[in-house]
Amino acid sequence: MAKKVRKIAVLTSGGDAPGMNAAVRAVVRASVFNNIECYGVYKGYEGLITNDLVKLNARGVNNIVNKGGTILKSARCLEFRTKEGRIKAKNTLDKHEIDSLVVIGGNGSLTGALLLEEEHGINVIGIPGTIDNDLVGTRCSLGYDTALNTAVEAIDKIRDTASSHNRLFFIEVMGKGSGHIALNAGIGAGAEEVLIPEQNMGLERLLDSLKKSEKSGKSSSIIVVSEGDKIGENVFNFSSYIEKNLPHYEIRVSILGHIQRGGTPSCFDRVLASRMGVYAVDCLLQHKSKIMVGIIDDKMTATPINDAIKGGQSLDKDLVRVCDIISI
Ligand code: F6P
């Protein structure tokens, strides 16, 4: 049970994700609405260690709901992983009499929040902010929907070239250890194959499947590959294996990379971020701590951070089946 809330700080940490700004705005405004002072911390946990924070009021977060990236900046802070680093962070919080922290980020960032609570008694609430969508306790994390749409738009464009030149394209999408973007963007963009870390498709099966596609009359193909598949192959290993075995195919590799993390957040992400930010402050006011807010069946949920970070949110098996059926 969290103690009474006096002052709240909010930070964004880890890889940036579209919707983080909308979430910061919601946390600040919900705090102000409840007559609680709110501080924005720069560069994630690094700003807590170096005392780099600013008091924000409702007007301080004007015109950011539509902006990608994070106005608070983000970082993966190595010093915060040490006990000494976390003591410095606690000292900064004490200096400003801040007792509650909202952390917007992914797995590593929420793990850090948990340690701050356990070692120093700070009330912590996590908001899932990562395009990977790999946290347990929410159907979507912030930025995932936008990243998915960015990936689909890019794959659609590549398909024009693939079909004009009768080429086979391997397209790598983001998702460290998590196939959510690959599977959903693959289905959305009509990919012939999707390779994800949750499933070992095997090179021979891929080869067989491409041969079958060719026989059925397909002259070009799109294969979406998540960074890091189950057996540690990368997109270049796949392409050279297929090149060797299907030499008549003209093959190209395209890595979408950080284009998927940037850009204007989708309306879905803006609304989700707004709901999550308000709910994070509601949870603090209800004396909750060590929880990550989420959305399940369109309702706000609170999951212990301990469970949220335990392991990737599992992929819907039926989606894999749908993908197999519609890509014949
Ligand atoms: O966790 C989000 C993510 O975009 C992953 O999909 C990707 O593997 C990683 O971050 C890239 O991180 P960086 O921007 O530090 O290279």
Side-chain angles (χ1 to χ4, degrees):
M1 174 93 120
K3 299 176 294 297
K4 192 173 173 328
V5 178
R6 281 179 300 160
K7 291 185 189 177
I8 297 175
V10 57
L11 60 82
T12 50
S13 165
D16 64 323
M20 280 183 162
N21 281 326
V24 169
R25 171 178 177 264
V27 170
V28 171
R29 292 197 173 163
S31 303
V32 172
F33 183 83
N34 288 291
N35 298 314
I36 297 171
E37 273 184 31
C38 189
Y39 288 73
V41 182
Y42 290 110
K43 285 208 204 155
Y45 291 112
E46 202 176 306
L48 275 190
I49 291 174
T50 58
N51 189 25
D52 191 7
L53 63 169
V54 64
K55 193 172 153 191
L56 289 169
N57 59 28
R59 296 286 72 76
V61 287
N62 277 354
N63 301 328
I64 63 167
V65 69
N66 55 335
K67 292 209 161 64
T70 158
I71 59 153
L72 292 179
K73 317 258 181 209
S74 192
R76 303 189 200 275
C77 177
L78 292 181
E79 195 179 350
F80 190 75
R81 293 188 192 169
T82 66
K83 270 197 172 213
E84 295 71 31
R86 293 193 289 275
I87 290 171
K88 287 186 195 167
K90 158 77 169 151
N91 290 342
T92 299
L93 291 168
D94 283 349
K95 196 167 170 175
H96 298 274
E97 298 178 325
I98 296 166
D99 49 25
S100 303
L101 180 67
V102 178
V103 172
I104 307 168
N107 212 293
S109 309
L110 300 193
T111 305
L114 202 54
L115 291 172
L116 204 54
E117 208 274 355
E118 286 168 359
E119 293 169 8
H120 301 291
I122 302 296
N123 304 320
V124 293
I125 304 286
I127 294 183
T130 166
I131 65 163
D132 294 352
N133 199 31
D134 58 351
L135 288 155
V136 177
T138 187
R139 201 187 81 72
C140 291
S141 51
L142 290 185
Y144 169 61
D145 180 69
T146 306
L148 207 49
N149 284 298
T150 303
V152 167
E153 199 184 327
I155 299 169
D156 285 349
K157 288 179 176 157
I158 292 172
R159 185 179 284 286
D160 289 347
T161 300
S163 73
S164 303
H165 289 264
N166 288 346
R167 283 179 182 164
L168 183 65
F169 264 90
F170 282 87
I171 304 176
E172 186 191 277
V173 297
M174 273 191 172
K176 191 174 44 201
S178 153
H180 287 278
I181 296 181
L183 184 57
N184 285 275
I187 293 175
E192 274 63 36
E193 290 294 344
V194 177
L195 307 180
I196 50 175
E198 290 83 351
Q199 213 186 29
N200 179 6
M201 190 195 191
L203 290 169
E204 289 80 35
R205 237 196 85 196
L206 174 63
L207 189 61
D208 276 357
S209 154
L210 288 173
K211 282 180 183 162
K212 262 191 219 144
S213 293
E214 208 178 6
K215 244 196 195 150
S216 77
K218 286 194 186 181
S219 56
S220 66
S221 283
I222 300 282
I223 301 163
V224 175
V225 185
S226 189
E227 352 163 47
D229 80 321
K230 180 97 177 166
I231 48 174
E233 298 281 1
N234 71 31
V235 69
F236 292 104
N237 300 136
F238 287 124
S239 72
S240 51
Y241 178 81
I242 298 301
E243 207 157 30
K244 231 181 272 154
N245 289 281
L246 294 176
H248 57 286
Y249 253 127
E250 207 183 324
I251 298 181
R252 293 289 187 273
V253 170
S254 185
I255 296 178
L256 299 189
H258 289 82
I259 191 174
Q260 297 158 97
R261 281 235 302 258
T264 305
S266 64
C267 181
F268 179 86
D269 272 328
R270 297 182 201 191
V271 174
L272 183 62
S274 304
R275 291 179 73 183
M276 285 181 169
V278 169
Y279 191 58
V281 174
D282 285 346
C283 286
L284 282 171
L285 293 173
Q286 291 159 19
H287 307 295
K288 289 187 183 143
S289 181
K290 288 205 283 186
I291 55 119
M292 181 196 81
V293 301
I295 188 163
I296 296 174
D297 294 336
D298 204 34
K299 296 271 177 308
M300 285 293 113
T301 54
T303 302
I305 292 181
N306 232 336
D307 296 334
I309 58 177
K310 262 191 184 133
Q313 191 213 137
S314 59
L315 274 182
D316 183 348
K317 293 245 165 59
D318 194 51
L319 266 188
V320 178
R321 191 181 76 91
V322 167
C323 185
D324 286 345
I325 293 172
I326 58 167
S327 58
I328 57 168

